Amino acid sequence: KLENGKWSRAENLGAPINTPENEGAETISADGQTLVYTVCNRKRDFGSCDLYISEMENGDWSTPKNIGAPINSSAWESQPSLSADGKTLYYTSNRNGKDKNIYESNRLANGKWSAPKPISLNTGDNEEGPFIHPDGQTLYFTSNGYPGMGKADLFVSRLENDGTWGTPKNLGFPINTKAQEGALIVSLDGKTGYFASDKSDGYGMVDLYSFEMPQTLRPKVVTYAKIEVYDAATKEKLAANLDLVNLSTTQIHWSGVSKKDNEVLICLPTGTDYSLNANKTGYLFQSENFALKETASKDEPFVLKIYLQKIPPKPVNQPIASQEKPVSKPIVLKNVFFKTGSAELEGSSKVELNTLVKLLSDNESMNIQINGHTDDVGSDDKNLKLSENRAKSVVNFLIKQGIKASRLRSRGFGETQPISSNDSKEGKQLNRRTEFVVTQ
């Protein structure tokens, strides 16, 4: 889409995706690295149409491969839609008879796909063209099995808290008409819908249309984080492990590996808070926090460059006093939280503290000091005491998880070491922090 609002001329995607044969309906992962699409009428395939998969490698698409069984069958499979985390694939098949149904398959830890299951929204007629929005909770699809206005209408259903799909809602007129509407895709911000229809006012048999999505039909607002990981000393890009955790449920929302030749793109549905952990063997981890629980809109994405410090070598034959000095830069534990004015840890802090436990367990010669800091609200003495107690609370948690007390120290600095101005709410929040340094 150009700056003047018009679209550039369409370009053929080319080889190896396109061939002289039949390629069709596709889905691309949120990070742009995985393409699943439809291929038809190839002699060696499972059925009349199968799903194929290709990965982005060094700026080009890899040679496509048939995604294979159990997703493909001797029937017709098409119209894939991949969830933002890349773990769930929705698609259409007529494997159970003449009617088309929507199926769901999950990507397993070994990279293979689970046996597909028909979703609960299917009727005795045709349900097809699924599109799972990047919010992970809103599914749009086409059906002629529910009350509608024409040959086939567009519907929306939302995932309930118990994991079931809610009652489908017809998108209504003027989106749905007496014609056949299908293949809906909704933009990341939820404001624009794009779909295909054989309306009589088009240019040909089936045309593409766009419309402003009514507020009641929009998905949850989604933003994204673009992440690159570097070595803090050499500034070279690193392939590091990334874990994004929903702090409300403490469940992993997304997990993957950063690449040396590309940034990582992670979709972040608003309405909850997230922790991000970047870690790599031989390095100290780094964390980020995305506070989106109270966010109703987010126009600007997060663009992060994360710098990992190598684990300092263990000093040999050094005096005890020397061994107690920091040998690393402070690592802020951005997802360690305390109750207001208290040293009592919030339950959501366990996610990050358990990461620290793992780091210490994997590096048994490492000793650390936990530092507590406050903003400037309150007296100097009160803030010093509060920071000391909060640092001790973290140490006590680590000890309860099996880390030897002899490897741990704590210290409070009160308001004496601000990293931002205390003149703003945001600055105060940055100054209220817990961090650790290696003291080998």
Side-chain angles (χ1 to χ4, degrees):
K1 196 171 188 179
L2 305 177
E3 290 184 2
N4 61 8
K6 295 184 178 181
W7 292 94
S8 65
R9 185 177 180 84
E11 297 180 19
N12 192 304
L13 196 57
I17 304 302
N18 287 327
T19 71
E21 300 177 60
N22 187 342
E23 289 81 31
E26 55 73 37
T27 180
I28 191 166
S29 61
D31 61 5
Q33 301 300 298
T34 303
L35 176 71
V36 179
Y37 68 105
T38 308
V39 171
C40 297
N41 304 322
R42 293 192 184 174
K43 293 181 180 179
R44 296 182 180 179
D45 283 348
F46 289 76
S48 59
C49 290
D50 283 1
L51 296 181
Y52 273 60
I53 188 168
S54 175
E55 305 285 349
M56 182 64 73
E57 297 177 354
N58 299 319
D60 294 311
W61 291 110
S62 65
T63 301
K65 297 180 180 179
N66 191 305
I67 207 167
I71 288 178
N72 288 325
S73 71
S74 59
W76 177 90
E77 277 81 32
S78 185
Q79 302 172 344
S81 179
L82 194 62
S83 63
D85 60 9
K87 295 180 180 179
T88 306
L89 179 68
Y90 298 89
Y91 66 101
T92 309
S93 175
N94 61 355
R95 63 178 59 197
N96 281 348
K98 64 177 182 179
D99 294 319
K100 296 175 181 177
N101 287 159
I102 298 172
Y103 287 79
E104 174 186 351
S105 178
N106 297 306
R107 203 164 199 171
L108 306 176
N110 60 8
K112 296 183 178 180
W113 294 92
S114 66
K117 297 180 180 179
I119 66 173
S120 60
L121 298 172
N122 291 320
T123 68
D125 290 300
N126 291 319
E127 277 71 44
E128 52 185 317
F131 172 73
I132 184 68
H133 191 267
D135 72 353
Q137 300 176 19
T138 309
L139 182 72
Y140 299 91
F141 64 98
T142 301
S143 174
N144 62 4
Y146 294 95
M149 301 179 181
K151 290 179 285 187
D153 282 2
L154 294 170
F155 292 81
V156 60
S157 176
R158 304 181 194 276
L159 199 62
E160 305 288 355
N161 292 332
D162 61 2
T164 61
W165 290 107
T167 302
K169 183 176 182 180
N170 191 302
L171 267 57
F173 183 83
I175 301 166
N176 288 323
T177 66
K178 64 181 181 179
Q180 178 159 325
E181 283 77 31
L184 174 70
I185 289 178
V186 180
S187 61
L188 186 70
D189 61 11
K191 296 179 180 179
T192 307
Y194 302 89
F195 71 104
S197 178
D198 61 358
K199 299 175 188 289
S200 60
D201 62 351
Y203 289 86
M205 295 174 63
V206 177
D207 288 326
L208 298 177
Y209 292 79
S210 68
F211 64 95
E212 182 178 345
M213 183 67 72
Q215 193 72 43
T216 58
L217 302 176
R218 291 182 183 180
K220 184 178 290 187
V221 173
V222 177
T223 184
Y224 66 88
K226 187 166 69 173
I227 302 164
E228 296 176 336
V229 183
Y230 295 84
D231 182 297
T234 67
K235 303 302 187 290
E236 293 181 354
K237 273 192 177 181
L238 295 176
N241 300 310
L242 298 172
D243 293 310
L244 185 74
V245 176
N246 183 322
L247 288 175
S248 299
T249 64
T250 69
Q251 299 296 310
I252 293 179
H253 176 77
W254 182 93
S255 182
V257 178
S258 67
K259 299 180 180 180
K260 289 185 178 181
D261 60 346
N262 206 348
E263 71 273 359
V264 173
L265 192 69
I266 307 176
C267 286
L268 299 170
T270 59
T272 192
D273 295 339
Y274 302 92
S275 70
L276 176 72
N277 177 269
N279 64 85
K280 182 178 177 65
T281 301
Y283 288 79
L284 301 175
F285 70 83
Q286 189 85 347
S287 64
E288 294 291 337
N289 175 264
F290 304 105
L292 301 176
K293 192 171 186 178
E294 306 299 329
T295 301
S297 64
K298 185 74 171 65
D299 294 329
E300 294 298 322
F302 299 93
V303 180
L304 303 176
K305 291 186 177 182
I306 297 175
Y307 296 89
L308 297 184
Q309 299 180 57
K310 279 191 174 180
I311 295 176
K314 177 71 176 178
V316 179
N317 300 324
Q318 292 290 322
I320 293 178
S322 297
Q323 293 182 20
E324 291 179 349
K325 293 182 179 179
V327 292
S328 75
K329 293 181 180 179
I331 302 291
V332 179
L333 298 169
K334 295 184 179 180
N335 299 288
V336 170
F337 310 103
F338 299 90
K339 295 187 181 298
T340 303
S342 167
E344 183 181 350
L345 286 163
E346 295 278 10
S348 56
S349 300
K350 293 181 180 180
V351 173
E352 185 129 310
L353 291 179
N354 283 331
T355 301
L356 183 54
V357 169
K358 186 177 187 308
L359 176 69
L360 293 169
S361 299
D362 292 344
N363 300 274
E364 295 184 351
S365 65
M366 181 187 295
N367 301 326
I368 65 170
Q369 175 175 294
I370 302 296
N371 297 330
H373 301 270
T374 69
D375 56 28
D376 64 349
V377 177
S379 68
D380 293 353
D381 290 342
K382 183 179 178 181
N383 285 334
L384 179 61
K385 188 67 175 178
L386 179 61
S387 64
E388 290 173 346
N389 289 338
R390 285 181 168 177
K392 289 177 182 177
S393 290
V394 172
V395 167
N396 290 336
F397 178 94
L398 299 176
I399 293 173
K400 288 180 180 178
Q401 302 305 310
I403 305 301
K404 293 181 180 179
S406 59
R407 300 172 59 192
L408 307 170
R409 296 173 57 211
S410 65
R411 187 175 178 186
F413 292 89
E415 59 188 82
T416 63
Q417 295 186 2
I419 57 175
S420 184
S421 171
N422 279 304
D423 294 335
S424 68
K425 179 181 177 181
E426 293 75 19
K428 291 179 186 293
Q429 187 173 6
L430 289 172
N431 292 332
R432 296 191 302 270
R433 68 194 188 279
T434 305
E435 59 192 22
F436 77 92
V437 292
V438 179
T439 59
Q440 292 176 335

